[in-house]
Amino acid sequence: LSCLMLRHVAVALVAWGSCYCSSQQLSLTNICISFSVTHLIFLAITFSLKMYLRDNKVLLQDRPVDASAVPRVEHDKKRFNTYPFAHRHANTWYHLCDAKELEYGRVVEVRALDKVFAVWKKADGTPVCQDAFCLHLGANLAVGGKVVNDCIECPFHRWKFNSDGGIAEIPYIKDKKKCPTSPKLKTYTCVEWCGLICVYYHADPQAEPEYSLPEWVSKQMEDEKWAPHLSWDIGHVTLTPTDWVDQAGDHAHFHTLHADFLVPYTLIPIPQWLQTLVPVGICHELCTYKGDDPAWVEKQRDLGMGSIDKHLIYFTDKAGLTWKKEPIPTTMSETLEMYIGPAMMSFHIPFTIGTFKVFVTTTPCEGGSIMRARTWIDARVQASPFKRLIAWVLTGVSASQLASDIDIMTNKIRLRKPILQPFDGPYNRTNAWLKSFYSEKGEDTGDCAYVNNW
């Protein structure tokens, strides 16, 4: 009604302006200018009023009524319950934060794996990961806490805990020897690897890591002087590491979902008219190896990189361009993807005049996972702005393909008995590999409180 009244006012103003111009015998140009200015004033006032009414919830308006309007919390819970070990976490390495985030003196809070971690580093750069709740009265050490003399200090009563979890100091106990020697703050195996701060989780709190992060990767990057390039915090997504393991066993989707280009760094498909004009696509030749397969031992010898470890999966993708659906042999290049347990992936991507690596991590948290992607470039790419631009474009192509996977996985369920076909890939083999990371009597994390020993 208000907008209708404004329209009447505007019409009256236009009429008045026209009469005034006529009485003053003004030119047609001046009349047009008068009308345009009046109309613009009307549009500005109308838009401002609509925004005001909308923001103050006065103006009635259409709201979504499709699937996006329905809250997803229960929907995603039901989806996750179709996954094996729905309320357990794999015994493996997880990415908690980046090394550059961990400045000395700072404590980083990480909520993941149904726990709250306080992550910090010692003066010599060694990362430390501990339970975040103080053993005294339960304050969160990562919120307001700080690092003092290689100890984490509680913000509440200033108790200090060393990197082993022992009580190093209680301010109002002068004799440090009288500080309780037990219990200790739970401390987890934590390392820095390729710029990532990683923690090893196991359902058995007393268990030692069953495998190490591949040293050959960090050694290669150090020896060949690789450098960080791009960083993408994908953020919270409603999927799990299981989804990514399934990708290694699902070859068929590469020939459907990943057969066409998207505009780099977007989910926008190339326009149909352009595809018709330039019929370029992507082809894939795929092979999946378990890290202790005899076939991988031979492949690893040929490649000159990689390691033999049953906790790893290697996935090769000989990808290239197609013209009218036919492969162009001269464009083929083999990407080596490595699954470091179920929750971390690395991609080694050569492109004739250089190579870049992509690290993609999936860390389970409340309602899904936190995902991050980090890229590194070799010395050849670093030396040329042109090569860096090519690496940037190719990274954008990879990011778009990754995003299209995420779009599928955040909305799917996992069938207990899928209708598999021979051309689908080694789905059952990768599924068996995934199961090896779960304890038979693992820690059930479904709707549980933080451990407090009441």
Side-chain angles (χ1 to χ4, degrees), residues 295-305:
W296 169 247
V297 175
E298 184 177 343
K299 181 72 174 178
Q300 187 259 349
R301 190 183 303 117
D302 293 339
L303 290 173
M305 60 180 174

Side-chain angles (χ1 to χ4, degrees), residues 105-333:
R106 182 188 179 198
V107 183
V108 176
E109 180 188 27
V110 179
R111 282 182 282 159
L113 304 166
D114 293 285
K115 298 181 182 296
V116 183
F117 300 109
V119 187
W120 52 283
K121 72 175 181 181
K122 298 164 63 175
D124 64 2
T126 304
V128 181
C129 177
Q130 298 174 315
D131 277 340
F133 298 117
C134 180
L135 297 178
H136 178 211
L137 286 177
N140 191 330
L141 299 170
V143 179
K146 58 185 178 181
V147 179
V148 179
N149 297 326
D150 276 357
C151 293
I152 184 170
E153 182 183 84
C154 177
F156 200 8
H157 299 91
R158 301 289 188 263
W159 285 36
K160 293 185 179 71
F161 299 87
N162 61 33
S163 59
D164 294 324
I167 300 172
E169 181 183 331
I170 298 175
Y172 31 85
I173 296 181
K174 294 183 179 180
D175 187 355
K176 294 182 180 180
K177 294 181 179 179
K178 293 184 179 180
C179 293
T181 57
S182 66
K184 288 187 173 183
L185 194 65
K186 172 64 179 174
T187 302
Y188 301 84
T189 302
C190 182
V191 300
E192 179 181 342
W193 180 78
C194 299
L196 312 178
I197 302 298
C198 302
V199 67
Y200 185 83
Y201 168 90
H202 199 287
D204 178 0
Q206 307 304 319
E208 294 295 322
E210 296 176 355
Y211 71 105
S212 301
L213 294 168
E215 291 183 7
W216 70 267
V217 181
S218 52
K219 187 176 186 305
Q220 179 194 47
M221 294 172 65
E222 183 178 351
D223 291 347
E224 298 177 5
K225 295 180 171 55
W226 288 63
H229 187 216
L230 300 173
S231 174
W232 178 25
D233 289 330
I234 301 169
H236 185 272
V237 288
T238 53
L239 55 75
T240 73
T242 297
D243 290 298
W244 291 113
V245 176
D246 287 345
Q247 297 290 81
D250 176 15
H251 292 180
H253 87 280
F254 281 84
H255 306 297
T256 52
L257 186 63
H258 301 314
D260 297 312
F261 281 102
L262 300 171
V263 176
Y265 297 103
T266 77
L267 285 172
I268 302 171
I270 302 298
Q272 187 60 48
W273 65 267
L274 186 55
Q275 291 185 42
T276 303
L277 185 64
V278 186
V280 176
I282 310 173
C283 62
H284 304 270
E285 294 179 15
L286 309 154
C287 191
T288 299
Y289 308 88
K290 288 176 66 177
D292 57 352
D293 282 347
W296 169 247
V297 175
E298 184 177 343
K299 181 72 174 178
Q300 187 259 349
R301 190 183 303 117
D302 293 339
L303 290 173
M305 60 180 174
S307 55
I308 312 301
D309 190 333
K310 69 178 182 179
H311 297 94
L312 310 177
I313 273 184
Y314 290 91
F315 180 86
T316 59
D317 178 8
K318 194 173 182 181
L321 300 179
T322 63
W323 182 266
K324 296 182 179 179
K325 305 297 183 183
E326 292 297 323
I328 305 173
T330 55
T331 66
M332 303 298 282
S333 178

Side-chain angles (χ1 to χ4, degrees), residues 414-421 427-428:
R414 199 168 191 270
L415 298 174
R416 185 179 295 273
K417 293 183 179 180
I419 304 175
L420 297 175
Q421 300 299 308
Y427 184 88
N428 287 330

